[in-house]
Amino acid sequence: MHSYSLIAPAKINLYLEIIGDRPDGYHELVMILQSIGLVDQIDVRSISTDSIRIHCNHPQVPTDKSNLAYRAAELMAMQFPQAFAQYGGVEISINKQIPVAAGLAGGSTNAAAVLVGIDLLWKLGLTQSELEELGGTLGSDVPFCVAGGTAIATGRGEQLSPLPSLDNIYILLAKYRSLEVSTAWAYKTYQEQFGHSYIRDSENLAARANAVHSGAIVKAVVNKDVGEIAQKLHNDLERVVLPAYPQVLQLREVFANQEGVLGTMMSGSGPTVFALFESQQQAELVLRQVRESILDEDLELFVTRTITHGIKVASSV
Ligand code: ATP
């Protein structure tokens, strides 16, 4: 096989709590992450030169070393120099459907797909946990993107405990095309405003993470109780992003007032806002209503659903 085509799903955060900060500059988090059916397609193929090449259909996505997919390929070349010498370079094509800088882990899922694709191209036979460990060196969300489904993530987001997969929730996503929120800005601002309440000793950090593990939203996920999950959605970063970005606040308010919406929240550091539904018809109805009440062509709306997998091979040649 000389090329693989991979499906790389986006994620939303059903829960995001910031419980502390760390000497390495990251935050201590407790999150519940959920893969969704909004996906990029990543094609990886061996090329005869020893270079890494990136192509992408989206003008905002860099095609140089700053692309997380490039860094994933570079990491594999460094970790497995013999395979790199044997199989040559890699050409990566990204068909981007996931909005960029949206809080949906678009870059992270592309990097995860490249790790999985090169493992297959170079016949390395890495285990999922080895791939996740490599992913953790590229970014906190990459390990989850490899595995996918539904999971609790702790530490800086890279320590995963799988939860029973949710496949029964429909989602409406909304994002202003030209609006980006810097993840680094969101965490820094949160630290400036709320850092005084951070837990700083390891015992209490572990206790806080355990409290979420045995808490109401995890019970709701285990019971696949969509209504209860929707009631318990939480994202600490809304406390800094909503006041600074009135458009995101407006979306949250518009979603909250629509019939059929079980719950609504911002994903990650935003600016994407999502709403949960029991049926696709309800989600599509609210999409049309929101489209009529916010007459702005910059607003992108998508209906999708929860899915139970992370990176998946679509085809190989
Ligand atoms: P997260 O939810 O993990 O914080 P995000 O969804 O907010 O991520 P990305 O879509 O990953 O954000 O994009 C963040 C920045 O990373 C963008 O401004 C973009 O320039 C850069 N970037 C690098 N590689 C990629 C990639 N493969 N896809 C999208 N953006 C990328």
Side-chain angles (χ1 to χ4, degrees):
M1 305 290 172
H2 299 296
S3 83
Y4 284 88
S5 186
L6 301 122
I7 300 298
K11 61 86 185 151
I12 56 170
N13 298 74
L14 299 175
Y15 189 91
L16 189 163
E17 184 180 345
I18 301 172
I19 57 176
D21 52 8
R22 304 153 49 110
D24 61 9
Y26 287 94
H27 280 79
E28 284 285 341
L29 305 171
V30 192
M31 300 189 285
I32 300 177
L33 300 168
Q34 173 64 55
S35 301
I36 59 172
L38 180 63
V39 303
D40 289 342
Q41 184 185 321
I42 310 295
D43 297 326
V44 292
R45 74 178 185 98
S46 293
I47 49 176
S48 49
T49 65
D50 64 355
S51 57
I52 297 164
R53 292 191 205 141
I54 304 263
H55 309 281
C56 184
N57 61 333
H58 194 298
Q60 260 169 283
V61 175
T63 52
D64 60 10
K65 288 186 180 212
S66 65
N67 193 305
L68 212 50
Y70 185 104
R71 291 187 27 227
E74 198 175 45
L75 175 69
M76 293 299 268
M78 265 162 32
Q79 292 286 319
F80 305 100
Q82 277 186 338
F84 185 44
Q86 184 183 342
Y87 290 97
V90 200
E91 185 169 56
I92 300 161
S93 300
I94 303 172
N95 184 335
K96 174 93 19 211
Q97 303 301 323
I98 303 171
V100 176
L104 298 173
S108 302
T109 194
N110 293 176
V114 169
L115 296 179
V116 172
I118 292 182
D119 172 53
L120 293 167
L121 268 185
W122 295 354
K123 301 182 173 49
L124 297 169
L126 298 176
T127 63
Q128 179 161 309
S129 70
E130 286 167 333
L131 289 164
E132 288 176 16
E133 204 173 318
L134 284 167
T137 68
L138 294 166
S140 309
D141 284 342
V142 181
F144 172 75
C145 291
V146 172
T150 312
I152 302 186
T154 54
R156 57 188 174 85
E158 85 293 5
Q159 292 165 25
L160 301 175
S161 312
L163 287 170
S165 287
L166 295 170
D167 55 1
N168 55 340
I169 306 181
Y170 291 85
I171 299 162
L172 174 59
L173 296 167
K175 179 185 181 279
Y176 284 97
R177 212 172 270 115
S178 59
L179 189 66
E180 291 189 7
V181 174
S182 149
T183 303
W185 169 86
Y187 279 100
K188 189 169 149 281
T189 309
Y190 190 90
Q191 184 176 39
E192 281 161 12
Q193 293 184 18
F194 304 106
H196 57 270
S197 61
Y198 285 172
I199 302 170
R200 291 213 159 80
D201 62 291
S202 53
E203 210 171 302
N204 282 319
L205 282 172
R208 186 62 216 134
N210 283 335
V212 177
H213 271 261
S214 55
I217 185 161
V218 172
K219 282 204 186 90
V221 171
V222 171
N223 295 331
K224 300 198 176 196
D225 182 340
V226 185
E228 190 60 17
I229 293 167
Q231 289 307 305
K232 299 286 184 275
L233 296 172
H234 176 83
N235 184 347
D236 272 342
L237 290 172
E238 285 201 339
R239 294 168 81 184
V240 293
V241 177
L242 298 190
Y245 291 88
Q247 283 173 297
V248 184
L249 178 63
Q250 184 206 21
L251 278 178
R252 277 284 271 110
E253 286 170 349
V254 169
F255 272 9
N257 289 322
Q258 302 293 321
E259 213 171 306
V261 171
L262 300 171
T264 173
M265 191 57 46
M266 184 179 81
S267 183
S269 55
T272 302
V273 173
F274 66 87
L276 304 186
F277 298 86
E278 251 158 12
S279 76
Q280 181 163 352
Q281 289 88 327
Q282 282 171 318
E284 282 169 356
L285 180 65
V286 172
L287 182 151
R288 289 194 291 277
Q289 286 164 350
V290 172
R291 181 65 72 219
E292 278 164 24
S293 66
I294 305 179
L295 297 170
D296 188 339
E297 292 203 344
D298 198 39
L299 182 62
E300 289 183 292
L301 295 160
F302 308 85
V303 170
T304 183
R305 60 179 295 174
T306 52
I307 59 168
T308 59
H309 62 83
I311 305 304
K312 220 163 110 168
V313 178
S315 62
S316 53
V317 181

